[in-house]
Amino acid sequence: MRLSLEWLRSYVRLPEDAATVAQLLTEQSFETAVGASEGSGELLEADVLPNRAADCLSYLGVARELGAILRRTVSWPDMNLEKSLTRAQPPFALRIQNTALCPRFLAVLVEGVRGNAPSPAWMQRRLQAVGVRPQNLIVDVTNYVLWEVGQPTHAFDARAIRRTLGVRPSRSGETVRTLDGVTHTLSKGVLVLTSDDQPIDVAGIMGGEESSVHADTTVIVLTAGLFDRVAVRKASQALNLRTDASDRFAKGRTAAHVEAGAARVLALLQELAGARATAMAEAYPQPMKARAIRVTGTEVEALLGLKVSSARQRTILTALGCRVSVVGKTLRVTPPLFRADLAIPEDIAEEIGRIVGLEKIPARLPRAPLNPATLPDDLRAIRILEDQLKAAGWTETLSYSFSIEEETLALGFEKVEHLKIVNPINRDQIRLRISLLPNLLHHAWAGAKKTPLLRLFEVGRVYLPGPRTRAPRGTENWKAREPLRLAGLLVRRGDVASDRQREDFYEVKGTVEQLLITCGLSDVWFDDVEPSPEGTFISLWQPGRSAEVKVGQKAEVGFVGTVAPEVLERLRIRGSVVAFDLDLAEILTLEKAERVYQAPLPYPPVLRDLSLLVPETVLVDMLMEAIDRVGAPLVQDVDFVDLYEGSELPEGRRSITLRITYGSPERTLTDKEVNDLHRRIVASLEEEFGVEER
Amino acid sequence: MTDLLQRIADLQAEARTALSRVQTLAELEQFRNVYLARRGKIPTLLRTVKDLPSDERRPVGAAANTLRRGLEAEYLAARARLRARGVRPFDVTVPGRKPVLGHLHPLTIVRRDIEEVFLGMGFEILDGPEVEEPRYNFDLLNVPLEHPARDLMDTFWLTDGRLLRTHTSAAQARVMANRTPPFRILIPGRVFRHEATDATHESTFSQFEGLYVDEGVSLADLKGVLGEALQRIVHQRVDIRFRPSYFPFVEPGVEVDISCLSRRGSHRDCRVCKGTGWVEILGAGMIHPVVLQNVAVDSTRYRGFAFGGSIDRLAMLRYRLTDIRLFWSGDPNFLEQF
Ligand SMILES: [Zn+2]
């Protein structure tokens, strides 16, 4: 809210410096900055907290705050409704259809005004300072009171009000031409003021043009009401019409405002124009009752962690408009009706704390039981995997939880069910991701424009569709619906030679193997990716160059492979992409191999390389398994050394080099022993697979 | 005897002159052959010493030995010098070949730091779902039905009536429901706001939420814990300021500022603190008794504090980052700086 310091100073004596006032309010009430002053005197901009909107979206509210903070008296303006009150009935009846939406409504017949009289210069200046254009005395006074008291009021030309003055929700298709000259066609349920059931005003937002004060107006009907905040907010949004009045109603007023606002308008009209209230009608079926809060001074001190004398507590509460009585050690605090936000002892403690000054609260470290805290297992594992990937040259990225549309479509993922957003801001927020790969591909390809080779990974949740369940509190298995995945891409820009692509595949596969070893999984194996039906989840993996990652007999924990050229084509990616995508949640639940020490070989092992010319149908795995089988127990280990597929090799053959480690825990093996066994192994491989030693 | 001593002096002068003319390793070898090798002039001279009368042997022998050791040292030095001349030196200013290392995302780095600090103070680390029921995001947190955040405007809603949590506070009720006081909990996680993206606004960001429930907890404890934690997180001594604020799930509610981290003397034109000397860092307060009652914690016996802050904002402060969108850009030029 904009505040003119000159206006504010008319209620309470303030420090000279605008910045000091702003700081006081910031530290004790709500954030306030010194505003730009262009000819309108010094200004403050207060960002009034939502729970303080009722009392502090008004000059009087802010003056009350400053009075309490500075311990100075506030000079309140004349706003006693009793004084202007008249018992006479106006020539119209009030008809409030839904008192829940309009709990209090006041209408006063005021005579002796002139529609074309201007307001005094001081009032015009103050209105201009807060950005309101002066018009005529009657309208200016209602606007002035909107800012001063915080209650919007509206003056009708009395001629526009016939036998009944009503408040009701609109019927669909009704029209009102508002003061700004716009004719609004209302949908159902917008609160309107009516004269003989005809809408003449959009309640709490803007008056109608026809019923407004004109130059020849001499009698007005001044109205003040409390309108439901949600109803006004929704109407204001629906009509795309925001006004100072609608802002205040949307942030919440109280019934107390209605009375204070009307009284202040009447007092000003009387003072400035000699106007007289001649009749009044009010609908206020359920008057608000003041509610007392009981709180002890010790309770307040315990919450704040700060000693505040009970006399000081009482002074503060009184300065804020509360009635306080003391019963033994208990304070009985009755907040003013416009402070609906004060309801429980904690609210009272807050008032005392902030007026005493939150900076006075000491910093203290609590004493607590020595419960050790440790990082949960899954978070610890994630850290280790992230660090390992980093050390292997991979860079972490984070992407949105929404699935980026272009990549989602290119992968054909849209045919798979996703959780969907009702109100996306853009097309990249339609679906929640079911895989990390679409967004990762998006990042990777954008990144590849800056660097020819990129290794990118992400650890993140995916969001699985499924029926909304309402499990009892604390028993929902939400982790199963938002499983963690770990995915990565190795992206190489441009035309990539076949050898290079193969090397990239083995690098990514090796990275995955290393990650799974770190996770403590033994028994990891790689299976061919089954050809998939068109348009399912796995069509992104290029057949023949991709593998499914499996653990043990059943668990499928992810994929590693080359992204299919069709997918890259659809995304206009010129390069090669090798990806991995792991079900991290599943991996972390799998049983870990026991890490039991094995005695190191006491005798030096013997290493023998074995180079073989192998038919393409024979896989490395098959050879290694056979060597283990034939060479037991002296073969300690078989390692893969090299694979070669040059054109000078015979058609349909590859060259594979393996390294066999021979050894025994009992003795040093003799050359003859090793040579014999090595020959037996070669002979057995020749017979079983048709390989030749090179 | 003086003759012999004179010869030694002459030989020294001669050898020195010869050595000073040496230009190549071959010439140096020649020099060694003439003077120092077994049949060279100096060993030959030394061999004559034993034929001298006994009273002359010692002074002459000493002089000859000094000459030999001196020349040998000079010879070795000359050899090292000549060998070095043939060696092509390394340009030690060429950048070393670093092992290829990847990078962690800055938000991961800062989140880990935050986790470590609170782990050190005994906070358990937990999380909740990001696709959340409205009751956890709003109702159980005492957010009134008419609160604007419940509008379509501020929240991403799912077609099935759930929503993307707008704050990590949504996990409060979930984690508290399974615990009996005293407890202390930290919830770091991803949250969502229905906002158009610009340099300072993002639809997605990450927060951390802290909860501390015990008997006799006060705002002073909150100030103490946050003071200790924040200066470890920003790696700098900072002052803390509480300002009144409002969140439906705490009462009293405060905004927590830290003194501006910018190291310039005056903050008048400071972009970080906009001239105030303070930077807003967290929302916090004493847990509202209704929230405690909602998770069956006896609010007459226990009180607690809660705080929540943006990890993204702390990362922006640490790295002086001005565009929040970079976090989600995947741009390698950005990611490779961390
Ligand atoms: Zn600064």
Side-chain angles (χ1 to χ4, degrees):
Chain A
M1 186 176 75
R2 181 167 295 177
L3 293 163
S4 143
L5 267 174
E6 180 274 325
W7 190 344
L8 210 46
R9 286 183 207 280
S10 70
Y11 309 108
V12 61
R13 195 162 60 79
L14 297 178
E16 281 299 304
D17 185 19
T20 308
V21 181
Q23 193 184 348
L24 286 173
L25 286 171
T26 297
E27 291 180 354
Q28 303 191 259
S29 305
F30 28 74
E31 211 172 334
T32 303
V34 177
S37 50
E38 321 120 1
S40 36
E42 285 179 301
L43 294 176
L44 300 179
E45 283 293 342
D47 190 3
V48 177
L49 293 166
N51 62 330
R52 301 301 307 281
D55 70 307
C56 280
L57 277 184
S58 71
Y59 273 80
L60 295 182
V62 177
R64 187 183 299 107
E65 286 291 303
L66 286 165
I69 293 167
L70 294 163
R71 305 203 216 186
R72 286 180 188 160
T73 43
V74 178
S75 36
W76 302 106
D78 179 6
M79 40 193 233
N80 185 348
L81 190 62
E82 297 292 325
K83 230 168 78 181
S84 323
L85 202 63
T86 163
R87 298 261 163 224
Q89 287 295 316
F92 51 83
L94 291 186
R95 185 169 296 162
I96 314 299
Q97 199 187 76
N98 185 340
T99 54
L101 296 178
C102 177
R104 188 176 195 182
F105 190 79
L106 246 173
V108 187
L109 195 66
V110 183
E111 292 179 24
V113 292
R114 284 202 337 253
N116 57 2
S119 60
W122 61 264
M123 182 176 282
Q124 296 198 10
R125 235 187 4 257
R126 287 181 181 175
L127 287 175
Q128 277 164 337
V130 295
V132 177
R133 189 170 54 86
Q135 297 173 52
N136 57 59
L137 177 67
I138 300 168
V139 171
D140 289 356
V141 164
T142 58
N143 281 335
Y144 187 82
V145 169
L146 180 148
W147 285 85
E148 186 183 50
V149 180
Q151 169 67 32
T153 58
H154 186 70
F156 294 97
D157 187 311
R159 291 169 294 187
I161 310 297
R162 299 177 193 282
R163 282 184 307 276
T164 60
L165 173 57
V167 181
R168 65 165 169 82
S170 63
R171 297 186 270 269
S172 178
E174 286 183 312
T175 59
V176 187
R177 190 173 161 85
T178 45
L179 278 166
D180 53 3
V182 179
T183 302
H184 297 278
T185 304
L186 306 176
S187 55
K188 202 167 161 254
V190 175
L191 271 187
V192 289
L193 268 58
T194 59
S195 165
D196 281 359
D197 208 39
Q198 288 302 307
I200 54 168
D201 172 295
V202 186
I205 301 179
M206 194 181 272
E209 191 178 55
E210 231 180 278
S211 58
S212 66
V213 171
H214 293 88
D216 62 347
T217 301
T218 55
V219 184
I220 59 168
V221 174
L222 175 73
T223 61
L226 171 61
F227 304 114
D228 181 68
R229 58 191 294 186
V230 178
V232 172
R233 186 170 78 228
K234 290 198 166 143
S236 163
Q237 280 166 10
L239 299 176
N240 196 17
L241 188 59
R242 271 188 67 177
T243 60
D244 288 339
S246 72
D247 270 0
R248 278 156 185 78
F249 282 115
K251 287 174 178 162
R253 307 286 92 191
T254 68
H257 286 81
V258 174
E259 185 176 325
R264 182 64 179 140
V265 171
L266 292 176
L268 280 168
L269 287 179
Q270 200 165 17
E271 180 193 326
L272 301 173
R276 297 178 317 280
T278 55
M280 188 182 97
E282 181 179 23
Y284 189 23
Q286 282 177 301
M288 233 187 0
K289 288 197 192 72
R291 275 191 29 226
I293 304 165
R294 282 162 206 282
V295 59
T296 65
T298 357
E299 235 177 305
V300 169
E301 290 180 336
L303 260 167
L304 298 176
L306 177 69
K307 291 251 170 253
V308 186
S309 77
S310 93
R312 179 92 173 102
Q313 294 195 16
R314 281 204 308 276
T315 322
I316 288 169
L317 294 170
T318 310
L320 292 173
C322 299
R323 276 187 292 123
V324 186
S325 55
V326 185
V327 186
K329 291 194 164 179
T330 306
L331 295 182
R332 201 165 168 279
V333 184
T334 312
L337 290 175
F338 52 79
R339 288 298 304 270
D341 61 310
L342 301 183
I344 55 173
E346 284 78 1
D347 295 325
I348 299 304
E350 176 172 72
E351 296 304 290
I352 291 167
R354 66 187 184 81
I355 299 297
V356 168
L358 296 173
E359 82 283 356
K360 300 222 166 60
I361 292 175
R364 175 178 83 193
L365 279 175
R367 291 172 169 272
L370 195 66
N371 296 337
T374 49
L375 204 59
D377 289 347
D378 53 349
L379 290 187
R380 183 167 304 283
I382 289 169
R383 282 196 190 180
I384 291 169
L385 298 179
E386 286 169 343
D387 288 341
Q388 184 170 323
L389 280 164
K390 173 187 167 178
W394 292 72
T395 292
E396 184 191 20
T397 189
L398 291 176
S399 76
Y400 293 121
S401 297
F402 310 103
S403 205
I404 292 179
E405 187 73 352
E406 190 183 358
E407 280 74 10
T408 306
L409 297 180
L411 294 176
F413 280 13
E414 84 282 4
K415 296 173 192 125
V416 184
E417 196 192 347
H418 288 69
L419 290 175
K420 285 201 177 143
I421 299 294
V422 175
N423 53 340
I425 297 170
N426 58 53
R427 66 194 287 264
D428 291 327
Q429 297 175 337
I430 296 172
R431 301 175 176 81
L432 291 185
R433 65 187 182 190
I434 53 170
S435 159
L436 301 180
L437 291 173
N439 296 358
L440 214 41
L441 266 172
H442 183 82
H443 278 188
W445 186 239
K449 288 172 184 152
K450 297 200 172 174
T451 167
L453 173 64
L454 201 59
R455 294 178 181 86
L456 215 54
F457 77 95
E458 179 172 12
V459 178
R461 297 183 188 184
V462 299
Y463 309 86
L464 302 185
R468 183 178 173 193
T469 56
R470 284 183 166 273
R473 191 176 310 157
T475 65
E476 297 95 334
N477 184 15
W478 60 266
K479 285 194 177 184
R481 309 183 62 152
E482 298 181 10
L484 275 168
R485 294 196 77 93
L486 165 56
L489 300 176
L490 187 155
V491 183
R492 202 178 280 281
R493 192 176 61 195
D495 291 321
V496 182
S498 172
D499 283 4
R500 195 69 260 174
Q501 288 189 24
R502 196 183 59 217
E503 290 311 306
D504 287 347
F505 171 82
Y506 289 124
E507 179 190 329
V508 175
K509 186 189 170 198
T511 305
V512 168
E513 289 170 312
Q514 199 67 263
L515 291 173
L516 294 174
I517 289 169
T518 299
C519 288
L521 296 182
S522 56
D523 204 9
V524 175
W525 55 292
F526 292 79
D527 201 1
D528 288 334
V529 174
E530 298 288 325
S532 61
E534 187 65 24
T536 56
F537 206 62
I538 57 173
S539 59
L540 77 105
W541 304 103
Q542 185 178 11
R545 293 192 167 188
S546 303
E548 191 166 357
V549 189
K550 295 189 172 174
V551 177
Q553 287 308 299
K554 279 200 279 306
E556 294 158 5
V557 298
F559 291 91
V560 53
T562 305
V563 174
E566 307 86 75
V567 171
L568 300 184
E569 228 165 84
R570 259 174 266 154
L571 289 170
R572 298 177 304 282
I573 292 177
R574 275 204 42 239
S576 92
V577 181
V578 182
F580 68 89
D581 181 14
L582 299 175
D583 185 343
L584 191 53
E586 172 78 8
I587 288 168
L588 296 178
T589 60
L590 288 176
E591 201 171 328
K592 306 295 179 273
E594 276 186 291
R595 290 183 197 268
V596 179
Y597 132 94
Q598 285 190 329
L601 283 179
Y603 307 99
V606 180
L607 305 183
R608 286 288 155 84
D609 281 4
L610 177 58
S611 279
L612 299 168
L613 209 54
V614 181
E616 271 173 0
T617 50
V618 176
L619 306 181
V620 170
D621 242 7
M622 297 154 72
L623 298 174
M624 296 189 17
E625 186 272 331
I627 294 169
D628 264 338
R629 173 161 39 82
V630 176
L634 296 185
V635 167
Q636 301 295 330
D637 204 359
V638 188
D639 289 316
F640 172 80
V641 177
D642 184 40
L643 171 72
Y644 180 69
E645 297 177 318
S647 55
E648 71 276 21
L649 294 178
E651 183 70 17
R653 303 251 148 176
R654 315 187 285 167
S655 162
I656 291 171
T657 304
L658 303 173
R659 178 166 300 152
I660 305 177
T661 306
Y662 296 98
S664 161
E666 284 126 29
R667 62 204 153 81
T668 302
L669 299 183
T670 63
D671 270 0
K672 183 174 180 318
E673 213 174 358
V674 171
N675 290 342
D676 286 352
L677 180 54
H678 195 72
R679 262 198 303 280
R680 229 174 49 237
I681 287 172
V682 172
S684 142
L685 294 178
E686 283 171 350
E687 191 184 273
E688 194 172 343
F689 302 112
V691 306
E692 298 164 47
E693 189 170 11
R694 290 191 81 199
Chain B
M1 174 177 122
T2 27
D3 271 8
L4 258 177
L5 287 176
Q6 186 56 50
R7 254 189 76 197
I8 289 170
D10 289 349
L11 196 51
Q12 175 165 8
E14 180 194 325
R16 287 247 163 85
T17 311
L19 189 58
S20 71
R21 296 212 179 97
V22 162
Q23 294 288 334
T24 65
L25 277 170
E27 286 168 14
L28 183 67
E29 226 23 51
Q30 182 73 36
F31 164 84
R32 197 181 76 89
N33 283 334
V34 172
Y35 294 99
L36 293 168
R38 207 152 60 82
R39 301 200 177 281
K41 293 186 178 174
I42 290 163
T44 307
L45 175 73
L46 272 165
R47 277 193 294 273
T48 63
V49 172
K50 65 175 195 299
D51 302 329
L52 292 173
S54 62
D55 59 332
E56 290 183 16
R57 240 183 262 162
R58 182 165 299 171
V60 174
N65 264 318
T66 306
L67 169 62
R68 192 193 61 183
R69 276 192 229 105
L71 279 182
E72 268 174 357
E74 282 172 48
Y75 158 77
L76 287 173
R79 193 175 67 171
R81 209 163 45 241
L82 288 173
R83 279 188 180 166
R85 202 192 282 164
V87 168
R88 191 178 283 171
F90 297 135
D91 178 352
V92 296
T93 67
V94 168
R97 199 180 313 122
K98 302 172 194 74
V100 179
L101 275 187
H103 306 267
L104 291 182
H105 196 282
L107 291 177
T108 299
I109 297 170
V110 175
R111 178 174 47 74
R112 285 189 185 183
D113 284 356
I114 295 170
E115 288 170 353
E116 284 309 314
V117 168
F118 284 101
L119 276 171
M121 293 200 281
F123 282 68
E124 283 179 84
I125 307 221
L126 296 168
D127 202 355
E130 289 164 15
V131 175
E132 189 53 285
E133 293 287 343
R135 66 187 166 135
Y136 285 107
N137 200 71
F138 298 128
D139 305 56
L140 294 170
L141 290 170
N142 198 35
V143 179
L145 268 172
E146 70 273 13
H147 199 279
R150 295 199 177 214
D151 268 11
L152 212 54
M153 306 297 292
D154 293 330
T155 305
F156 282 108
W157 291 90
L158 271 70
T159 47
D160 64 8
R162 288 182 292 167
L163 48 79
L164 293 181
R165 66 176 176 191
T166 59
H167 45 197
T168 38
S169 312
Q172 273 194 16
R174 288 178 180 275
V175 299
M176 287 200 285
N178 295 328
R179 273 167 183 72
T180 41
F183 53 75
R184 29 190 201 269
I185 294 166
L186 186 84
I187 307 162
R190 193 178 270 212
V191 301
F192 308 86
R193 295 279 164 88
H194 192 263
E195 267 187 325
T197 305
D198 62 28
T200 52
H201 297 86
E202 250 299 344
S203 63
T204 306
F205 58 102
S206 39
Q207 282 189 329
F208 60 104
E209 177 93 4
L211 293 169
Y212 189 114
V213 177
D214 200 350
E215 291 177 48
V217 179
S218 74
L219 279 178
D221 298 310
L222 173 64
K223 210 180 226 183
V225 167
L226 288 181
E228 290 298 322
L230 284 171
Q231 54 194 348
R232 282 167 177 77
I233 291 167
V234 300
H235 303 308
Q236 217 170 304
R237 253 214 73 78
V238 287
D239 293 324
I240 275 209
R241 176 172 82 161
F242 278 2
R243 279 186 289 118
S245 191
Y246 171 70
F247 308 97
F249 36 95
V250 287
E251 191 66 50
V254 295
E255 206 74 58
V256 183
D257 296 340
I258 56 170
S259 44
C260 181
L261 302 176
S262 171
R263 294 178 200 202
R264 301 174 21 196
S266 152
H267 292 280
R268 263 191 68 189
D269 302 313
C270 177
R271 281 171 55 194
V272 182
C273 63
K274 298 187 188 74
T276 63
W278 295 97
V279 180
E280 188 178 316
I281 216 93
L282 289 161
M286 301 302 293
I287 302 174
H288 199 289
V290 166
V291 174
L292 289 177
Q293 286 151 26
N294 284 342
V295 293
V297 169
D298 180 356
S299 67
T300 59
R301 180 171 167 199
Y302 294 106
R303 274 198 304 264
F305 62 70
F307 55 85
S310 155
I311 297 174
D312 303 39
R313 186 161 166 67
L314 281 167
M316 288 174 84
L317 283 172
R318 178 183 292 185
Y319 302 113
R320 307 284 190 269
L321 186 69
T322 51
D323 191 339
I324 197 170
R325 288 168 294 194
L326 281 170
F327 286 138
W328 306 92
S329 67
D331 188 328
N333 294 163
F334 173 71
L335 297 173
E336 286 167 7
Q337 296 177 39
F338 300 97

